[in-house]
């Protein structure tokens, strides 16, 4: 009996023989011959069992598997399921970037009785809506004549390197930042010509590879740092300890991808593997880390200097805070990167199961600084799936001073969440170095869209906080945020989540009544070592 597995193969042979015998049009014979050759190749090859068992038919499976993300996105995707961003989340960015209407008729699509649903309580006496260019000052040291404080927007572009993003994407992001008056984090790949061209404010992120400020052996170069850090366009210096998408993981950009441009930007040899170590060589302890930050601040001429991290072992961050108390060296800011962050360069285990989510990470950092009487001296930035004005308001209410967004601004550039960032085949020219692909991203148009997205999101934030009776996002507190616990129970974030009082960590008699993470790990943390068991 003829097996259905070989039906397509046998049909192609029969069609070929019949077309030759009957002198059918040559096109039919050619197609049948091609299919017959494919079938024979499938049967003879030894690498894929499916092709040997299902000659010709297996290729249909491979084709539909290759377009599965597109089928799901265009035909099957639920509007509200965030995997990683829902259609509704992406749509609101596209609408605001293009200045289309972002109104939604007929009520919310969210289940307001589902556990986890959140809202901000409004006031019966709303405040007048304020101009929506909300800003905070970072690095203001009245007692330091060399300080160069920076007035930052409360919503900015998160770290994305040239190399991960295309030249055109960097040009458009920085042009949008310039037009909209907000800051653009360079990512750890250093400051490329495309970051400089449009003159938008930059936060220079320095990772463990010290790109843009390294010696030939990969160690930190003071001279190279000064050249970049003192450029007027660079407004702040950010030392990257880890990122939410792949904390504790280094990286390698293969030599084949290290082009002349990337090599010149990063200060590495052309065509050789470009390595980002998993840890820094310039320091080994919390005290040495703060001394390095203070050194960077001095060398930059007093520009606001801080660090970014994803929270892992709590005693390590506690050790950094204890080092602040021991040395008197206080960074100007800390950026908290949530474990829900995204990248095209992380193993799936890191993406899914390494790194503390933003809410818990932000609470730990905020509470520790409050408990150590340092919170009023250090600003906190936060990043992790922040898209809408509510996302910003929620994050500020939980304890941040400003928010960064990476994928939100990628959507503003036209990203369609094809999840092909790591393949160099980005369909919209955002995350690729292929010149033929990135030319699809028309820079002047996308500059305007980036600026529009920021402006319209800020306008929505102004309306939201006015409804709550506030005049600036900095006035948001945990008491303004409400979360549903069950079908018939809700709680204010201030009652649901733990918040420390100023100075509580400095009083040993208070530790026993604090949340266990502080009561257990704060006493064991050391300013002299990231390892609590060392010494």
């Amino acid at each position: 009996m003829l097996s259905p597995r070989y039906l397509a193969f046998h049909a192609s042979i029969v069609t070929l023989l019949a077309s030759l015998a009957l002198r059918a049009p040559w096109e039919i014979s050619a197609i049948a011959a091609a299919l017959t050759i494919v079938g024979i190749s499938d049967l003879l090859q030894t690498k894929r069992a499916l092709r040997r068992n299902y000659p010709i038919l297996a290729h249909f499976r491979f084709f539909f598997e290759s377009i599965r993300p597109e089928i799901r996105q265009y035909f099957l995707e639920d509007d509200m399921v965030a995997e990683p961003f829902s259609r509704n989340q992406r749509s609101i960015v596209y609408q605001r970037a293009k200045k289309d209407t972002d109104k939604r008729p007929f009520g919310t699509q969210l289940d307001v009785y589902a556990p986890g649903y959140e809202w901000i309580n409004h006031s019966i006496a709303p405040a007048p809506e304020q101009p929506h260019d909300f800003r905070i000052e970072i690095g203001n040291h009245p007692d330091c004549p060399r300080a160069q404080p920076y007035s930052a927007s409360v919503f900015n572009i998160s770290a994305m390197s040239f190399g991960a993003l295309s030249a055109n994407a960097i040009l458009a992001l920085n042009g949008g930042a310039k037009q909209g008056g907000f800051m653009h984090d360079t990512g750890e790949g250093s400051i490329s010509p495309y970051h400089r061209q449009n003159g938008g404010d930059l936060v220079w992120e320095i990772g463990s590879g010290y790109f843009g400020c390294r010696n030939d052996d990969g160690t930190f170069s003071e001279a190279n740092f000064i050249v970049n850090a003192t450029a007027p366009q660079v407004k702040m210096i950010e030392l990257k300890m880890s990122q939410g998408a792949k904390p504790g993981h280094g990286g390698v950009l293969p030599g084949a991808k290290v082009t002349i441009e990337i090599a010149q930007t990063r200060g590495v040899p052309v065509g050789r593997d470009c390595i980002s170590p998993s840890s820094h060589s310039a320091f080994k302890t919390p005290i040495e880390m703060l001394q390095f930050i203070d050194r960077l601040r001095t060398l930059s001429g007093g520009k606001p200097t801080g660090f970014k991290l994803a929270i892992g072992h709590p005693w390590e961050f506690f050790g950094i805070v204890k080092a602040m108390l021991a040395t008197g060296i206080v960074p100007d800011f800390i950026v908290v990167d949530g474990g829900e962050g995204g990248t095209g360069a992380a193993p799936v285990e890191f993406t899914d199961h390494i790194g503390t989510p933003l809410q818990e990470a932000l609470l730990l950092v905020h509470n520790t600084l409050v408990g150590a009487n340092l919170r009023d001296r250090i600003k906190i930035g936060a990043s992790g799936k922040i898209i809408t004005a509510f996302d910003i308001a929620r994050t500020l209410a939980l304890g941040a001073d400003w928010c960064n967004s990476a994928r939100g601004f990628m959507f503003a550039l036209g990203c369609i969440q094809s999840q092909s960032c790591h393949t160099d085949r980005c369909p919209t020219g955002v995350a690729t170095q292929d010149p033929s692909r990135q030319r699809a991203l028309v820079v002047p148009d996308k500059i305007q869209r980036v600026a529009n997205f920021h402006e319209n999101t800020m306008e929505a934030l102004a309306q939201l906080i006015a409804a709550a009776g506030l005049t600036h996002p900095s006035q948001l507190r945990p008491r303004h945020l409400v979360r549903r616990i069950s079908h018939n129970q809700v709680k204010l974030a201030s009652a649901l989540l733990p918040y420390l009082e100023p100075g509580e960590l400095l009083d040993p008699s208070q530790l026993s009544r604090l949340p266990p993470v502080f009561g257990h790990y704060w006493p064991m943390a050391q300013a002299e070592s990231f390892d609590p068991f060392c010494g």
Side-chain angles (χ1 to χ4, degrees), residues 207-259:
S208 56
Y210 306 116
F211 301 128
C213 56
R214 62 186 266 137
N215 296 307
D216 291 340
D217 62 356
T219 57
F220 175 73
S221 166
E222 186 173 291
N224 290 334
F225 173 81
I226 292 173
V227 171
N228 278 323
T230 55
Q233 190 181 356
V234 175
K235 303 301 182 183
M236 303 204 305
I237 310 297
E238 176 183 280
L239 181 68
K240 174 190 167 184
M241 297 297 294
S242 55
Q243 69 182 84
K246 53 172 183 176
H249 189 279
V252 177
L253 184 65
K257 294 186 177 181
V258 182
T259 63

Side-chain angles (χ1 to χ4, degrees), residues 7 32 138 197 238 257 284 287 297 322 345 440:
L7 184 61
I138 306 172
Q197 184 170 319
E238 176 183 280
K257 294 186 177 181
K284 297 298 181 185
I287 287 177
R297 181 162 48 199
K322 284 191 171 182

Side-chain angles (χ1 to χ4, degrees), residues 2 18 105 146 150 162 223 253 262 265 291 334 459 462-463 531:
L2 181 64
R146 294 190 64 199
Y150 176 62
F162 169 59
L253 184 65
I262 290 176
T265 295
Q291 290 171 339
I334 298 172
E459 184 175 357
Q463 296 169 352
D531 183 355

Side-chain angles (χ1 to χ4, degrees), residues 130-136 152-154 458 461-462 465 471-473:
Q130 301 297 310
H132 54 264
D133 184 24
F134 299 118
R135 311 194 79 79
I136 58 162
S153 170
V154 299
M458 288 295 92
L461 179 63
I465 65 165
T471 57
H472 194 279

Side-chain angles (χ1 to χ4, degrees), residues 164 246 322 385 388 394 444 518:
K246 53 172 183 176
K322 284 191 171 182
K385 294 189 76 169
T388 68
R394 175 187 185 278
F518 296 103

Side-chain angles (χ1 to χ4, degrees), residues 38-39 42 48 51 54-64:
V38 169
D42 289 341
R48 291 194 174 186
R51 288 176 59 192
Y54 297 88
I56 300 177
L57 287 176
H59 294 276
F60 288 93
R61 178 191 185 278
F62 300 147
F63 170 73
F64 286 113

